[in-house]
Amino acid sequence: MKYSIVVVGYNRPDSMRRLLESLCCASYEVSCDLVISLDYGTRQEELLKIAENVKWMHGEKKIRKFQSAQGLRQHILQCGDLTNEYDAVVVMEDDLVVAENFFQYVIEAVEFYNNNDLIAGISLYTHHTNPGNGRAFEAQFNGYDAYLMQYAQSWGQCWTRKMWNAFRNWYDEQVEDIALDGVVPNYVVGWNKQSWLKYYIRYTAEKGLFYVYPYFSLTTNSSEIGEHNKHNSTAYQVPLSTGKMQGYRFPEVEDAVKYDAYFERIFEEPIDGCYGNILLDLYGLRKHFGNADTLISTQKLNYKILREIELKYRPHELNCLRQEEGKGIYVYDLKELCVTKKKLGYCRLEERLRIAQYDLKAESPRLTLLHGLNGVKENVKRRFCKKP
Protein backbone atom coordinates (compact mmCIF):
# COMPACT_ATOMS: atom_id res chain seq x y z
CA MET A 1 0.00 0.00 0.00
CA LYS A 2 1.06 3.58 -0.61
CA TYR A 3 1.24 5.59 2.62
CA SER A 4 1.64 9.27 3.39
CA ILE A 5 2.13 11.23 6.60
CA VAL A 6 0.42 14.63 6.33
CA VAL A 7 1.64 17.32 8.74
CA VAL A 8 -0.75 20.24 9.17
CA GLY A 9 0.81 23.59 10.04
CA TYR A 10 -0.48 27.04 10.95
CA ASN A 11 1.50 29.80 12.71
CA ARG A 12 3.33 27.57 15.24
CA PRO A 13 6.90 27.11 13.97
CA ASP A 14 8.30 25.73 17.24
CA SER A 15 5.55 23.12 17.44
CA MET A 16 6.05 22.21 13.77
CA ARG A 17 9.80 21.76 14.25
CA ARG A 18 9.29 19.47 17.23
CA LEU A 19 6.74 17.28 15.44
CA LEU A 20 8.92 16.92 12.35
CA GLU A 21 11.92 16.00 14.51
CA SER A 22 9.92 13.27 16.25
CA LEU A 23 8.68 11.96 12.88
CA CYS A 24 12.23 11.83 11.51
CA CYS A 25 13.38 9.88 14.59
CA ALA A 26 10.64 7.25 14.22
CA SER A 27 11.19 3.86 12.55
CA TYR A 28 9.64 2.94 9.21
CA GLU A 29 9.48 -0.57 7.81
CA VAL A 30 8.06 0.51 4.44
CA SER A 31 8.43 3.69 2.40
CA CYS A 32 6.17 6.58 3.27
CA ASP A 33 5.85 10.05 1.73
CA LEU A 34 5.81 13.17 3.89
CA VAL A 35 3.38 15.94 2.95
CA ILE A 36 3.78 19.21 4.86
CA SER A 37 0.64 21.29 4.40
CA LEU A 38 0.90 24.95 5.42
CA ASP A 39 -2.17 27.15 5.72
CA TYR A 40 -1.77 30.84 4.99
CA GLY A 41 -0.89 32.89 8.05
CA THR A 42 1.45 35.52 9.45
CA ARG A 43 4.22 32.96 10.12
CA GLN A 44 3.87 30.88 7.00
CA GLU A 45 7.35 31.77 5.72
CA GLU A 46 8.93 30.59 8.97
CA LEU A 47 7.07 27.31 8.62
CA LEU A 48 8.16 27.02 5.01
CA LYS A 49 11.86 27.31 5.94
CA ILE A 50 11.46 24.59 8.56
CA ALA A 51 9.71 22.34 6.04
CA GLU A 52 12.38 22.93 3.40
CA ASN A 53 15.18 22.04 5.83
CA VAL A 54 13.68 18.66 6.82
CA LYS A 55 15.68 15.69 5.50
CA TRP A 56 13.10 12.98 4.88
CA MET A 57 14.79 9.63 4.20
CA HIS A 58 11.74 7.36 3.96
CA GLY A 59 10.05 8.51 0.76
CA GLU A 60 9.24 11.67 -1.15
CA LYS A 61 8.79 14.99 0.65
CA LYS A 62 6.11 17.37 -0.63
CA ILE A 63 5.27 20.88 0.60
CA ARG A 64 1.86 22.47 0.08
CA LYS A 65 1.67 26.22 0.66
CA PHE A 66 -1.78 27.83 0.51
CA GLN A 67 -2.00 31.38 -0.79
CA SER A 68 -5.17 32.19 1.18
CA ALA A 69 -6.44 31.14 4.58
CA GLN A 70 -8.31 27.84 4.48
CA GLY A 71 -9.34 27.53 8.11
CA LEU A 72 -8.91 24.33 10.06
CA ARG A 73 -11.97 22.48 8.76
CA GLN A 74 -11.30 23.05 5.06
CA HIS A 75 -7.60 22.41 5.55
CA ILE A 76 -8.15 19.01 7.15
CA LEU A 77 -10.77 18.05 4.56
CA GLN A 78 -8.23 18.73 1.83
CA CYS A 79 -5.65 16.65 3.68
CA GLY A 80 -8.11 13.76 3.90
CA ASP A 81 -8.72 14.10 0.17
CA LEU A 82 -5.10 13.07 -0.37
CA THR A 83 -6.45 9.51 -0.11
CA ASN A 84 -7.15 10.03 -3.82
CA GLU A 85 -3.36 9.76 -4.26
CA TYR A 86 -2.54 7.38 -1.38
CA ASP A 87 -4.05 4.18 -0.04
CA ALA A 88 -3.81 5.56 3.51
CA VAL A 89 -2.90 8.90 5.08
CA VAL A 90 -1.80 9.67 8.64
CA VAL A 91 -2.80 13.24 9.54
CA MET A 92 -0.92 15.08 12.29
CA GLU A 93 -1.64 18.56 13.58
CA ASP A 94 1.45 20.48 14.59
CA ASP A 95 1.14 20.30 18.39
CA LEU A 96 1.74 16.54 18.50
CA VAL A 97 4.70 14.31 19.24
CA VAL A 98 4.82 10.72 17.98
CA ALA A 99 6.18 7.55 19.53
CA GLU A 100 9.14 5.94 17.80
CA ASN A 101 7.10 2.86 16.87
CA PHE A 102 3.92 4.64 15.73
CA PHE A 103 4.20 3.55 12.09
CA GLN A 104 4.28 -0.14 12.96
CA TYR A 105 0.90 0.35 14.63
CA VAL A 106 -0.43 2.21 11.57
CA ILE A 107 0.60 -0.49 9.10
CA GLU A 108 -0.74 -3.38 11.16
CA ALA A 109 -4.02 -1.61 11.98
CA VAL A 110 -4.60 -0.73 8.31
CA GLU A 111 -3.89 -4.30 7.23
CA PHE A 112 -6.30 -5.68 9.84
CA TYR A 113 -9.22 -3.23 9.46
CA ASN A 114 -9.06 -1.85 5.91
CA ASN A 115 -11.86 -4.09 4.63
CA ASN A 116 -14.09 -3.76 7.70
CA ASP A 117 -17.07 -1.52 6.93
CA LEU A 118 -17.66 -0.82 10.64
CA ILE A 119 -14.31 0.97 11.08
CA ALA A 120 -14.38 4.71 10.33
CA GLY A 121 -10.80 5.54 11.25
CA ILE A 122 -7.71 4.59 13.23
CA SER A 123 -6.63 6.71 16.19
CA LEU A 124 -3.00 6.94 17.27
CA TYR A 125 -3.93 8.79 20.45
CA THR A 126 -5.69 7.26 23.44
CA HIS A 127 -7.76 9.33 25.86
CA HIS A 128 -7.10 9.38 29.58
CA THR A 129 -9.67 12.15 30.08
CA ASN A 130 -13.25 12.59 28.92
CA PRO A 131 -13.18 15.94 27.03
CA GLY A 132 -16.80 16.58 27.99
CA ASN A 133 -16.22 17.09 31.71
CA GLY A 134 -12.52 16.53 32.43
CA ARG A 135 -13.12 13.32 34.37
CA ALA A 136 -10.69 10.43 34.05
CA PHE A 137 -11.27 7.83 31.34
CA GLU A 138 -9.77 4.35 31.40
CA ALA A 139 -10.71 1.74 28.83
CA GLN A 140 -11.38 -1.74 30.21
CA PHE A 141 -8.63 -4.14 29.13
CA ASN A 142 -9.62 -7.53 27.70
CA GLY A 143 -6.40 -8.99 26.34
CA TYR A 144 -6.13 -7.16 23.01
CA ASP A 145 -3.99 -4.13 22.14
CA ALA A 146 -6.87 -1.92 20.99
CA TYR A 147 -10.46 -1.04 21.80
CA LEU A 148 -13.20 0.67 19.76
CA MET A 149 -15.02 3.96 20.25
CA GLN A 150 -17.72 5.92 18.43
CA TYR A 151 -15.61 9.05 18.79
CA ALA A 152 -13.38 10.30 15.99
CA GLN A 153 -9.89 11.59 16.70
CA SER A 154 -7.87 14.67 15.72
CA TRP A 155 -4.65 14.14 17.70
CA GLY A 156 -3.13 11.69 15.26
CA GLN A 157 -5.37 9.60 13.01
CA CYS A 158 -5.16 7.37 9.96
CA TRP A 159 -7.72 7.04 7.18
CA THR A 160 -7.64 4.59 4.34
CA ARG A 161 -9.16 5.62 1.02
CA LYS A 162 -12.23 3.53 1.75
CA MET A 163 -12.74 5.02 5.23
CA TRP A 164 -12.30 8.60 4.05
CA ASN A 165 -14.51 8.29 0.98
CA ALA A 166 -17.37 6.89 3.08
CA PHE A 167 -17.13 9.86 5.45
CA ARG A 168 -16.73 12.37 2.61
CA ASN A 169 -19.86 11.11 0.86
CA TRP A 170 -21.82 11.52 4.11
CA TYR A 171 -20.30 14.96 4.85
CA ASP A 172 -21.07 16.39 1.41
CA GLU A 173 -24.77 15.72 2.00
CA GLN A 174 -24.95 17.45 5.41
CA VAL A 175 -26.50 20.77 6.35
CA GLU A 176 -24.19 23.36 7.84
CA ASP A 177 -24.68 22.48 11.51
CA ILE A 178 -25.32 19.45 13.71
CA ALA A 179 -28.58 18.87 15.56
CA LEU A 180 -28.90 18.87 19.35
CA ASP A 181 -30.64 15.50 19.34
CA GLY A 182 -28.42 13.46 21.66
CA VAL A 183 -26.62 11.45 18.97
CA VAL A 184 -23.42 13.20 20.08
CA PRO A 185 -22.82 15.15 23.31
CA ASN A 186 -23.97 18.77 23.44
CA TYR A 187 -20.42 20.04 23.99
CA VAL A 188 -19.39 18.53 20.65
CA VAL A 189 -22.28 20.24 18.86
CA GLY A 190 -21.14 23.52 20.43
CA TRP A 191 -17.66 23.45 18.94
CA ASN A 192 -17.07 26.35 16.55
CA LYS A 193 -17.60 26.28 12.80
CA GLN A 194 -13.93 25.55 12.12
CA SER A 195 -14.23 22.10 13.70
CA TRP A 196 -14.12 19.25 11.21
CA LEU A 197 -13.95 16.76 14.09
CA LYS A 198 -17.53 17.28 15.27
CA TYR A 199 -18.78 16.18 11.86
CA TYR A 200 -16.66 13.04 11.92
CA ILE A 201 -17.86 12.24 15.43
CA ARG A 202 -21.46 12.71 14.32
CA TYR A 203 -20.90 10.49 11.27
CA THR A 204 -19.31 7.75 13.37
CA ALA A 205 -22.05 7.77 16.03
CA GLU A 206 -24.96 8.17 13.62
CA LYS A 207 -23.83 5.27 11.44
CA GLY A 208 -22.89 3.00 14.35
CA LEU A 209 -19.23 2.93 13.29
CA PHE A 210 -16.04 2.88 15.36
CA TYR A 211 -12.55 4.30 15.58
CA VAL A 212 -9.76 1.92 16.58
CA TYR A 213 -7.93 3.14 19.70
CA PRO A 214 -4.65 1.77 21.12
CA TYR A 215 -4.47 1.04 24.83
CA PHE A 216 -1.01 2.66 24.83
CA SER A 217 -0.85 5.94 22.94
CA LEU A 218 1.33 6.48 19.87
CA THR A 219 0.96 10.28 20.01
CA THR A 220 0.64 12.85 22.73
CA ASN A 221 -0.87 16.32 22.61
CA SER A 222 0.93 19.41 23.88
CA SER A 223 -2.20 21.64 23.83
CA GLU A 224 -0.14 24.72 23.07
CA ILE A 225 -1.40 28.23 22.34
CA GLY A 226 -2.86 28.44 18.86
CA GLU A 227 -5.81 29.61 16.82
CA HIS A 228 -8.28 27.45 18.76
CA ASN A 229 -6.42 27.18 22.08
CA LYS A 230 -5.85 30.29 24.21
CA HIS A 231 -3.79 28.71 27.01
CA ASN A 232 -1.02 26.16 27.34
CA SER A 233 -2.18 23.00 29.07
CA THR A 234 -0.92 19.55 29.98
CA ALA A 235 -4.46 18.21 30.42
CA TYR A 236 -4.25 15.95 27.37
CA GLN A 237 -0.66 14.78 27.71
CA VAL A 238 -0.62 10.99 27.89
CA PRO A 239 2.18 8.41 28.23
CA LEU A 240 3.77 7.44 24.91
CA SER A 241 4.30 3.84 23.92
CA THR A 242 7.95 2.82 23.67
CA GLY A 243 9.77 -0.12 22.13
CA LYS A 244 8.78 -2.38 19.27
CA MET A 245 5.72 -4.60 19.59
CA GLN A 246 5.92 -8.24 18.62
CA GLY A 247 2.85 -7.77 16.45
CA TYR A 248 -0.29 -5.95 17.58
CA ARG A 249 -3.26 -8.07 18.68
CA PHE A 250 -6.27 -6.37 17.13
CA PRO A 251 -9.79 -7.56 18.03
CA GLU A 252 -12.60 -8.20 15.62
CA VAL A 253 -15.49 -5.80 16.25
CA GLU A 254 -17.52 -8.41 18.10
CA ASP A 255 -14.59 -9.21 20.43
CA ALA A 256 -13.56 -5.63 21.25
CA VAL A 257 -14.32 -3.49 24.28
CA LYS A 258 -16.53 -0.73 22.84
CA TYR A 259 -17.53 2.78 23.90
CA ASP A 260 -20.03 5.24 22.44
CA ALA A 261 -19.65 8.96 21.65
CA TYR A 262 -20.17 9.81 25.33
CA PHE A 263 -17.25 7.56 26.40
CA GLU A 264 -19.83 5.20 27.88
CA ARG A 265 -19.34 1.44 27.67
CA ILE A 266 -21.48 -0.45 25.17
CA PHE A 267 -22.49 -3.66 26.94
CA GLU A 268 -23.66 -6.51 24.76
CA GLU A 269 -24.48 -8.84 27.66
CA PRO A 270 -27.44 -8.41 30.10
CA ILE A 271 -27.02 -6.33 33.24
CA ASP A 272 -28.64 -7.62 36.44
CA GLY A 273 -31.71 -5.72 37.57
CA CYS A 274 -32.15 -3.88 34.26
CA TYR A 275 -34.66 -4.46 31.50
CA GLY A 276 -35.28 -3.47 27.89
CA ASN A 277 -32.96 -0.99 26.22
CA ILE A 278 -30.24 -0.06 28.72
CA LEU A 279 -28.33 3.22 28.53
CA LEU A 280 -25.23 4.15 30.54
CA ASP A 281 -24.66 7.73 31.74
CA LEU A 282 -21.87 7.35 34.27
CA TYR A 283 -20.23 10.63 33.16
CA GLY A 284 -23.56 12.44 33.59
CA LEU A 285 -23.38 14.12 30.18
CA ARG A 286 -26.57 12.83 28.57
CA LYS A 287 -29.51 15.15 28.04
CA HIS A 288 -31.46 12.82 25.73
CA PHE A 289 -32.29 9.21 26.54
CA GLY A 290 -33.87 8.17 23.24
CA ASN A 291 -35.91 4.98 23.45
CA ALA A 292 -34.07 3.59 26.49
CA ASP A 293 -36.07 1.78 29.17
CA THR A 294 -33.41 1.68 31.88
CA LEU A 295 -30.83 4.37 32.61
CA ILE A 296 -27.73 3.82 34.77
CA SER A 297 -26.48 7.27 35.71
CA THR A 298 -24.58 9.35 38.21
CA GLN A 299 -27.09 12.18 37.67
CA LYS A 300 -29.91 12.77 40.15
CA LEU A 301 -33.05 12.75 37.98
CA ASN A 302 -36.82 12.74 38.38
CA TYR A 303 -37.34 9.09 37.43
CA LYS A 304 -38.20 6.08 39.54
CA ILE A 305 -35.05 4.65 41.14
CA LEU A 306 -34.90 0.88 40.83
CA ARG A 307 -31.73 0.57 42.90
CA GLU A 308 -28.62 2.46 44.01
CA ILE A 309 -25.11 1.14 43.40
CA GLU A 310 -21.86 2.01 45.15
CA LEU A 311 -19.42 4.03 43.00
CA LYS A 312 -16.40 1.96 43.88
CA TYR A 313 -14.67 -0.10 41.15
CA ARG A 314 -12.52 1.12 38.24
CA PRO A 315 -13.18 1.64 35.42
CA HIS A 316 -16.52 2.91 36.62
CA GLU A 317 -18.64 0.76 34.28
CA LEU A 318 -17.40 -2.27 36.21
CA ASN A 319 -19.78 -1.21 38.99
CA CYS A 320 -22.69 -2.10 36.67
CA LEU A 321 -21.48 -5.70 36.53
CA ARG A 322 -20.31 -6.03 40.15
CA GLN A 323 -23.24 -4.29 41.74
CA GLU A 324 -22.91 -3.48 45.43
CA GLU A 325 -25.60 -1.58 47.26
CA GLY A 326 -24.50 1.93 48.12
CA LYS A 327 -24.34 5.51 46.84
CA GLY A 328 -23.14 7.15 43.64
CA ILE A 329 -24.92 5.35 40.78
CA TYR A 330 -28.67 5.31 40.18
CA VAL A 331 -30.58 2.72 38.13
CA TYR A 332 -33.69 4.43 36.75
CA ASP A 333 -36.90 3.19 35.20
CA LEU A 334 -37.35 5.79 32.45
CA LYS A 335 -40.98 4.84 31.98
CA GLU A 336 -42.00 6.25 35.36
CA LEU A 337 -41.45 9.78 36.63
CA CYS A 338 -40.96 10.19 40.38
CA VAL A 339 -40.31 13.62 41.86
CA THR A 340 -37.78 13.51 44.70
CA LYS A 341 -38.66 15.03 48.09
CA LYS A 342 -35.29 16.77 48.26
CA LYS A 343 -34.49 19.67 45.97
CA LEU A 344 -32.54 18.44 42.96
CA GLY A 345 -29.98 21.22 43.32
CA TYR A 346 -28.96 19.91 46.76
CA CYS A 347 -28.93 16.31 45.52
CA ARG A 348 -26.74 17.24 42.57
CA LEU A 349 -24.22 18.91 44.87
CA GLU A 350 -24.09 15.72 46.94
CA GLU A 351 -23.54 13.64 43.81
CA ARG A 352 -20.76 15.92 42.52
CA LEU A 353 -18.90 15.76 45.82
CA ARG A 354 -19.17 11.97 45.82
CA ILE A 355 -17.86 11.76 42.24
CA ALA A 356 -15.01 14.14 43.06
CA GLN A 357 -14.01 11.94 46.00
CA TYR A 358 -14.05 8.89 43.71
CA ASP A 359 -12.01 10.64 40.99
CA LEU A 360 -9.38 11.98 43.40
CA LYS A 361 -8.77 8.49 44.80
CA ALA A 362 -6.58 8.64 47.92
CA GLU A 363 -5.13 12.12 47.49
CA SER A 364 -4.43 14.09 50.65
CA PRO A 365 -6.67 17.02 51.65
CA ARG A 366 -3.80 19.38 50.79
CA LEU A 367 -3.53 18.07 47.24
CA THR A 368 -7.30 18.16 46.86
CA LEU A 369 -7.31 21.83 47.90
CA LEU A 370 -4.53 22.60 45.42
CA HIS A 371 -6.52 20.92 42.63
CA GLY A 372 -9.52 23.06 43.50
CA LEU A 373 -7.53 26.30 43.57
CA ASN A 374 -5.89 25.46 40.26
CA GLY A 375 -9.31 24.78 38.74
CA VAL A 376 -10.57 28.17 39.91
CA LYS A 377 -7.49 29.88 38.46
CA GLU A 378 -7.91 28.19 35.08
CA ASN A 379 -11.59 29.11 34.93
CA VAL A 380 -10.80 32.75 35.68
CA LYS A 381 -8.16 32.77 32.94
CA ARG A 382 -10.53 31.31 30.39
CA ARG A 383 -13.40 33.62 31.24
CA PHE A 384 -11.66 36.94 31.71
CA CYS A 385 -8.22 36.82 30.09
CA LYS A 386 -8.12 37.22 26.32
CA LYS A 387 -4.39 36.53 26.35
CA PRO A 388 -2.48 34.19 28.69
Side-chain angles (χ1 to χ4, degrees):
M1 296 184 71
K2 189 177 181 183
Y3 291 89
S4 175
I5 297 169
V6 185
V7 174
V8 180
Y10 178 73
N11 279 356
R12 292 193 288 198
D14 291 339
S15 300
M16 172 66 78
R17 184 181 294 107
R18 184 185 57 217
L19 171 57
L20 290 170
E21 286 174 353
S22 73
L23 286 169
C24 289
C25 291
S27 57
Y28 301 87
E29 297 180 354
V30 300
S31 64
C32 178
D33 289 352
L34 176 65
V35 178
I36 304 175
S37 188
L38 306 176
D39 199 0
Y40 180 80
T42 56
R43 307 187 73 177
Q44 190 186 58
E45 290 304 313
E46 293 178 67
L47 292 169
L48 182 61
K49 289 180 182 179
I50 293 170
E52 290 173 340
N53 289 333
V54 171
K55 292 182 172 59
W56 184 250
M57 310 300 293
H58 312 288
E60 185 179 354
K61 181 181 78 172
K62 303 175 183 179
I63 300 174
R64 301 198 310 174
K65 176 184 172 184
F66 290 98
Q67 299 302 316
S68 61
Q70 303 300 298
L72 181 61
R73 190 191 340 170
Q74 289 304 318
H75 195 177
I76 296 295
L77 289 172
Q78 292 174 78
C79 291
D81 288 342
L82 288 171
T83 51
N84 292 323
E85 302 174 34
Y86 296 94
D87 296 303
V89 297
V90 180
V91 178
M92 303 271 190
E93 294 185 29
D94 56 13
D95 58 351
L96 301 177
V97 172
V98 302
E100 182 181 349
N101 61 330
F102 86 94
F103 202 62
Q104 177 197 0
Y105 166 82
V106 169
I107 292 173
E108 294 185 22
V110 166
E111 289 177 350
F112 193 90
Y113 290 110
N114 187 35
N115 294 319
N116 193 318
D117 292 337
L118 291 175
I119 301 302
I122 298 165
S123 174
L124 280 70
Y125 180 87
T126 193
H127 288 277
H128 284 201
T129 304
N130 185 326
N133 59 8
R135 289 189 58 206
F137 171 76
E138 181 182 1
Q140 178 71 54
F141 180 70
N142 73 338
Y144 291 99
D145 294 318
Y147 61 97
L148 304 181
M149 186 179 285
Q150 292 177 332
Y151 194 92
Q153 185 53 250
S154 65
W155 295 333
Q157 65 277 354
C158 176
W159 300 306
T160 66
R161 183 179 297 134
K162 181 179 180 180
M163 294 171 188
W164 180 258
N165 286 342
F167 164 71
R168 208 40 161 121
N169 290 337
W170 175 90
Y171 175 85
D172 290 341
E173 296 177 356
Q174 299 309 300
V175 296
E176 181 58 24
D177 214 344
I178 296 174
L180 277 166
D181 57 5
V183 174
V184 299
N186 287 1
Y187 76 88
V188 172
V189 178
W191 288 342
N192 69 42
K193 63 181 181 180
Q194 288 298 334
S195 173
W196 63 271
L197 180 60
K198 68 179 182 179
Y199 291 93
Y200 218 125
I201 294 172
R202 172 75 192 208
Y203 160 72
T204 303
E206 181 181 300
K207 295 292 185 179
L209 308 178
F210 296 94
Y211 257 59
V212 180
Y213 276 80
Y215 278 101
F216 295 98
S217 192
L218 285 306
T219 62
T220 190
N221 180 277
S222 298
S223 298
E224 291 164 323
I225 296 171
E227 183 70 11
H228 305 286
N229 189 36
K230 294 183 179 180
H231 305 280
N232 287 328
S233 173
T234 60
Y236 298 109
Q237 281 279 359
V238 295
L240 277 179
S241 173
T242 60
K244 182 177 174 61
M245 293 284 288
Q246 298 299 314
Y248 279 89
R249 299 163 296 171
F250 290 107
E252 298 290 350
V253 172
E254 60 269 22
D255 297 325
V257 171
K258 294 184 278 292
Y259 294 87
D260 66 17
Y262 290 79
F263 285 53
E264 300 286 359
R265 181 76 173 272
I266 300 173
F267 282 121
E268 292 165 338
E269 64 268 25
I271 298 177
D272 289 344
C274 302
Y275 72 96
N277 294 323
I278 302 168
L279 196 63
L280 263 62
D281 180 43
L282 299 178
Y283 283 108
L285 291 173
R286 294 192 192 273
K287 307 300 179 185
H288 303 80
F289 307 128
N291 62 350
D293 301 298
T294 304
L295 178 71
I296 305 177
S297 178
T298 54
Q299 295 188 70
K300 186 64 176 175
L301 302 168
N302 284 327
Y303 292 99
K304 179 182 179 181
I305 298 174
L306 298 174
R307 67 179 63 188
E308 293 186 50
I309 301 171
E310 183 78 17
L311 180 60
K312 176 179 181 179
Y313 295 108
R314 306 175 194 278
H316 58 190
E317 66 262 23
L318 193 57
N319 293 288
C320 301
L321 302 180
R322 300 186 173 214
Q323 297 182 20
E324 295 186 15
E325 185 177 347
K327 298 290 185 179
I329 300 174
Y330 305 94
V331 181
Y332 292 107
D333 179 353
L334 292 178
K335 303 303 180 185
E336 187 172 342
L337 285 170
C338 184
V339 179
T340 178
K341 294 180 181 179
K342 290 184 180 180
K343 291 183 178 180
L344 276 182
Y346 175 77
C347 294
R348 285 169 182 157
L349 176 60
E350 279 188 313
E351 119 207 342
R352 287 171 184 167
L353 290 172
R354 189 178 295 112
I355 290 169
Q357 185 178 32
Y358 171 82
D359 286 346
L360 289 169
K361 299 182 181 179
E363 288 192 353
S364 68
R366 179 175 174 273
L367 279 176
T368 302
L369 177 61
L370 288 174
H371 278 301
L373 291 174
N374 187 61
V376 171
K377 183 185 77 172
E378 291 300 315
N379 278 328
V380 170
K381 284 169 61 177
R382 286 184 172 87
R383 287 177 181 270
F384 302 109
C385 301
K386 292 184 179 179
K387 293 183 180 180

